């Protein structure tokens, strides 16, 4: 609905309530229900109404046990008895309740849980149960494929906008709803078998008695996922506390000095370390042949010039402002606050690459990227190994690998794929680039690790959240020559935020069923 109309109506409601507050019946009550606003713009309920109200909130349950009980609470003993195929209906209904609890609570693990946040509701579960009932009443055989499709692609899948999240939803249903569930051979989680035929209260009792303690294992995730999301939550809390502290208090004995002094020292250091911009005219004159790789190098230099020019301009402007030679503007104050809090300023991020690093790490990373570009553009020969995370646009270098192979072999570009072979070596072991394709370094794995000796994905070690990958050899091959057996299609993202930072898909060898890695949220990252 139109938020402005609602705001106007709430204003009228506030006045009406004031009038009714005098001389009306003593039992008169007004009930208003509201949902949390997605942004501060939606905070439109007048203060007068809020102050005079008794507020009752309905908090979503936390933890698998509470979520599973709540999912089961949507049904009753009558529900369990209404279907002619009672055994099948009860087993699949319990599996659906577990599925609903998993997808709802997996959100807490952030991007490793779901790339994006989705509004799954109890309505999705109850409609899925109705679909299950109708299908079982109409068929003597259980239509597993149809049920998985309707629940995964329509009822729940209707909310999902990300292809990798759709794959995750589909994989859960393939693991939970299959013929083995009626043979007593299905575990919904390690140590939690699908229960046999029970009555309604028996299922609730079974959850209390048998469900293992809360842990990422219940969702198919590695225990590291919990460390990751708790760390991020702590960082957010500390950042908020830092933003709340007073800025302008003078320094006491041994303190760091005022905000201005700290910012002045930092901006002087940054201006000193920033190198000159790349001369694109000189670089163009140095290029002998505009190969796909040379074009990428030139584009990257151009993007880097845009970022460093904005950094120099804004830092020099702020320096004049701090000296009193220029009037401080809101942009200059925002830059000053960012530098003081150790955050990357907004105007730089707009011209930059996605990053979750603090300002210090981000600036060191920027200087390393400039160094790589300077080394590459001296003679434009392909470096022995490419730092994929050092590009503004990593897709461009991967496309260049395919373009150069297509030109050399006269292959059509749309009939080619990137073949990903993980070597057993690190960056230092390579002296020259391959004859075809490229060696890539600077990849990290989240959710699992790479076993270099076995040459496959394997379980992560505890507390190693994003172990580094060995150097990867990328080469372009025709569609029909690509390895598709015994591989896990692994998404590559620029940062741990995942979602919109998606870059490419690499097929990585796996001895385990790929569904294990899908549920574990395994992905490659360009930044640890």
């Amino acid at each position: 609905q139109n938020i402005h109309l609602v705001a106007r109506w709430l204003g009228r409601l506030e006045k009406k309530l004031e009038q009714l507050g005098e001389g009306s019946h003593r039992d008169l009550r007004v009930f208003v229900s509201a949902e949390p606003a997605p942004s501060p713009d939606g905070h439109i309920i007048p203060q007068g109404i809020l102050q005079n109200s008794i507020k009752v909130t309905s908090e979503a349950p936390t933890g698998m046990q509470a979520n599973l009980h709540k999912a089961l609470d949507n049904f009753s003993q009558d529900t369990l008895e209404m279907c002619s195929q009672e055994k099948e209906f009860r087993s699949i209904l319990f599996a659906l309740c577990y599925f609903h609890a998993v997808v709802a609570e997996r959100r807490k693990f952030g991007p490793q849980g779901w790339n994006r946040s989705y509004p799954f509701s109890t309505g999705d579960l109850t409609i899925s149960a109705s679909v299950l009932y109708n299908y079982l009443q109409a068929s003597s055989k259980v239509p597993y494929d149809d049920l998985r499709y309707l629940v995964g692609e329509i009822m729940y899948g209707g909310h999902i906008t990300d292809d990798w999240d759709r794959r995750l939803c589909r994989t859960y249903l393939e693991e939970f709803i299959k013929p083995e569930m009626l043979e007593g051979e299905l575990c919904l989680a390690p140590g939690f078998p699908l229960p046999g035929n029970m009555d309604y209260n028996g299922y609730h009792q079974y959850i209390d008695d048998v469900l293992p303690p809360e842990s990422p294992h219940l969702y198919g995730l590695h225990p590291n996922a919990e460390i990751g999301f708790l760390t991020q939550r702590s960082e957010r809390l500390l950042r908020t506390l830092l933003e709340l502290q007073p800025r302008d208090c003078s320094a006491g004995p041994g303190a760091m000095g005022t905000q201005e002094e700290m910012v002045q020292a930092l901006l002087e250091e940054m201006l000193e370390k920033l190198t000159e911009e790349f001369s694109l005219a000189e670089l163009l004159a140095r290029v002998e042949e505009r190969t796909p790789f040379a074009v990428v190098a030139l584009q990257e230099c151009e993007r880097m010039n845009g970022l460093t020019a904005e950094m120099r301009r804004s830092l020099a402007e702020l320096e004049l402002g701090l000296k009193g030679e220029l009037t401080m503007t809101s942009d200059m104050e925002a830059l000053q606050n960012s530098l003081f809090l150790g955050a990357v300023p907004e105007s730089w991020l707009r011209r930059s690459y996605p990053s979750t690093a603090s300002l210090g790490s981000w600036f060191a990373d920027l200087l390393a990227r400039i160094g790589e570009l300077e080394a590459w553009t001296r003679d434009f020969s392909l470096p022995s190994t490419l730092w994929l995370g050092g590009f503004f646009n990593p897709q461009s270098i991967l496309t260049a690998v395919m373009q150069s192979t297509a030109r050399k072999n006269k292959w059509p570009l749309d009939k080619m794929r990137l073949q990903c072979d993980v070597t057993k070596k690190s960056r230092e072991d390579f002296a020259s680039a391959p004859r075809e394709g490229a060696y890539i370094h600077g990849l990290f794995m989240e959710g699992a690790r790479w076993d270099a000796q076995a040459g496959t994905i394997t379980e992560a070690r505890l507390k190693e959240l994003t172990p580094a990958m060995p150097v990867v050899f990328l080469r372009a091959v025709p569609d029909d020559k690509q390895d598709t057996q015994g591989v896990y299609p692994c998404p590559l993202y620029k940062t741990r935020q995942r979602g919109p930072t998606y870059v490419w898909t690499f097929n990585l060898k796996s001895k385990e069923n790929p569904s294990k890695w899908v549920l574990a949220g395994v992905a490659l990252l360009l930044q640890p």
Side-chain angles (χ1 to χ4, degrees):
Q1 69 272 22
N2 188 318
I3 200 161
H4 302 295
L5 292 176
V6 174
R8 208 178 308 151
W9 178 82
L10 283 168
R12 289 210 298 273
L13 175 67
E14 185 181 18
K15 289 192 181 102
K16 191 80 174 164
L17 290 174
E18 279 176 22
Q19 292 163 10
L20 293 171
E22 295 169 17
S24 56
H25 194 283
R26 66 191 184 89
D27 290 336
L28 174 69
R29 298 288 181 273
V30 175
F31 291 89
V32 178
S33 63
E35 288 184 347
S39 68
D41 302 341
H43 297 166
I44 56 171
I45 299 178
Q47 231 168 349
I49 293 181
L50 290 173
Q51 286 169 347
N52 293 323
S53 303
I54 296 172
K55 287 168 280 296
V56 180
T57 59
S58 172
E59 289 287 331
T62 56
M64 180 56 79
Q65 188 179 31
N67 269 282
L68 191 47
H69 276 304
K70 187 169 183 192
L72 202 55
D73 284 343
N74 291 290
F75 308 105
S76 64
Q77 183 62 33
D78 292 343
T79 316
L80 299 182
E81 292 170 358
M82 70 184 188
C83 184
S84 54
Q85 296 193 56
E86 202 169 290
K87 183 189 173 193
E88 291 83 351
F89 180 75
R90 289 184 182 200
S91 292
I92 299 174
L93 183 64
F94 190 89
L96 280 175
C97 288
Y98 192 86
F99 166 73
H100 177 80
V102 162
V103 298
E105 189 62 3
R106 193 179 163 107
R107 273 183 292 226
K108 72 180 181 186
F109 295 102
Q112 197 178 347
W114 292 104
N115 272 346
R116 300 170 196 272
S117 192
Y118 302 110
F120 299 124
S121 68
T122 51
D124 301 321
L125 175 61
T126 51
I127 293 169
S128 298
S130 301
V131 168
L132 169 65
Y133 169 75
N134 291 336
Y135 265 73
L136 290 183
Q137 288 293 88
S139 167
S140 56
K141 281 186 173 177
V142 179
Y144 291 102
D145 290 342
D146 293 358
L147 289 172
R148 283 195 297 258
Y149 181 84
L150 287 165
V151 173
E153 301 289 340
I154 298 172
M155 305 310 168
Y156 286 82
H159 298 293
I160 297 174
T161 54
D162 183 279
D163 288 342
W164 298 103
D165 287 341
R166 195 173 287 280
R167 177 180 77 163
L168 172 64
C169 181
R170 197 165 51 236
T171 305
Y172 268 130
L173 288 164
E174 284 165 4
E175 293 297 303
F176 293 164
I177 299 178
K178 53 186 179 180
E180 290 90 320
M181 67 194 310
L182 301 179
E183 294 154 22
E185 296 172 9
L186 183 73
C187 275
L188 296 169
F192 191 59
L194 182 72
N197 238 343
M198 296 182 182
D199 65 7
Y200 181 71
N201 292 330
Y203 282 128
H204 276 297
Q205 193 62 47
Y206 181 82
I207 295 167
D208 288 335
D209 294 346
V210 183
L211 185 70
E214 180 70 20
S215 83
H217 286 304
L218 297 178
Y219 309 86
L221 290 157
H222 189 274
N224 282 348
E226 190 162 42
I227 299 172
F229 102 85
L230 289 173
T231 305
Q232 286 173 5
R233 188 184 286 178
S234 306
E235 284 172 357
R236 272 201 304 276
L237 175 65
L238 292 170
R239 197 179 306 123
T240 306
L241 287 172
L242 188 63
E243 287 170 3
L244 291 173
Q245 73 173 11
R247 309 274 167 85
D248 300 320
C249 55
S250 297
M256 288 283 289
T258 64
Q259 180 181 353
E260 281 83 359
E261 287 167 7
M262 284 174 62
V263 170
Q264 181 69 40
L266 183 59
L267 71 81
E268 282 173 8
E269 182 191 352
M270 292 177 105
L271 282 169
E272 188 186 326
K273 287 184 177 175
L274 268 178
T275 54
E276 287 300 308
E277 289 179 23
F278 291 98
S279 168
L280 293 175
E282 269 182 43
L283 294 181
L284 281 166
R286 215 181 293 164
V287 175
E288 292 172 10
E289 184 192 350
R290 291 191 69 150
T291 62
F293 292 116
V295 170
V296 171
L298 290 167
Q299 287 172 346
E300 290 291 316
C301 290
E302 195 174 343
R303 292 279 298 271
M304 186 60 79
N305 280 354
L307 173 57
T308 53
E310 169 59 22
M311 289 174 70
R312 266 193 217 86
R313 183 202 67 74
S314 57
L315 287 171
E317 186 181 63
L318 178 60
E319 192 171 28
L320 292 172
L322 292 174
K323 287 176 182 171
E325 294 175 24
L326 270 181
T327 306
M328 288 289 279
T329 63
S330 58
D331 287 346
M332 289 156 75
E333 283 176 7
L335 175 62
Q336 182 181 358
N337 281 337
S338 295
L339 296 180
F340 178 66
L341 294 170
V344 184
E346 190 61 41
S347 66
W348 300 1
L349 277 176
R350 281 200 297 272
R351 292 165 176 80
S352 178
Y353 35 85
S355 175
T356 55
S358 61
L359 181 60
S361 308
W362 180 88
F363 188 65
D365 178 72
L366 175 78
L367 297 178
R369 287 165 184 255
I370 293 172
E372 289 275 322
L373 279 176
E374 284 173 344
W376 188 5
T377 51
R378 276 190 201 111
D379 60 359
F380 283 93
S381 61
L382 194 65
S384 53
T385 72
L386 286 164
W387 176 26
L388 192 59
F391 292 93
F392 281 86
N393 182 9
Q395 286 96 327
S396 62
I397 198 73
L398 300 177
T399 307
V401 169
M402 293 172 67
Q403 285 173 333
S404 54
T405 308
R407 287 182 188 179
K408 189 175 172 184
N409 298 319
K410 308 267 191 301
W411 291 344
L413 196 60
D414 62 338
K415 297 282 194 299
M416 293 169 65
R417 289 287 177 273
L418 274 185
Q419 175 79 22
C420 166
D421 298 313
V422 185
T423 70
K424 294 186 177 180
K425 300 175 181 176
S426 60
R427 181 188 183 184
E428 294 73 30
D429 301 326
F430 292 89
S432 61
R435 284 201 303 274
E436 205 170 85
Y439 293 124
I440 302 290
H441 74 271
L443 301 184
F444 302 86
M445 186 175 278
E446 186 176 38
R449 67 183 172 89
W450 184 260
D451 185 334
Q453 296 314 114
T456 62
I457 305 177
T458 190
E459 281 279 336
R461 294 191 183 99
L462 200 60
K463 297 184 184 175
E464 284 186 18
L465 302 189
T466 50
M469 290 282 288
V471 168
V472 172
F473 174 38
L474 290 180
R475 57 197 172 88
V477 295
D479 269 351
D480 53 355
K481 295 277 196 303
Q482 193 181 29
D483 291 345
T484 52
Q485 295 301 310
V487 295
Y488 164 61
C490 184
L492 168 67
Y493 298 98
K494 293 177 187 174
T495 73
R496 291 174 74 171
Q497 299 307 108
R498 302 194 179 194
T501 70
Y502 170 75
V503 178
W504 210 272
T505 305
F506 290 163
N507 284 343
L508 299 179
K509 287 190 169 57
S510 170
K511 287 178 182 166
E512 306 251 13
N513 189 327
S515 64
K516 175 184 172 77
W517 311 121
V518 173
L519 300 186
V522 174
L524 289 171
L525 307 174
L526 293 179
Q527 295 172 30

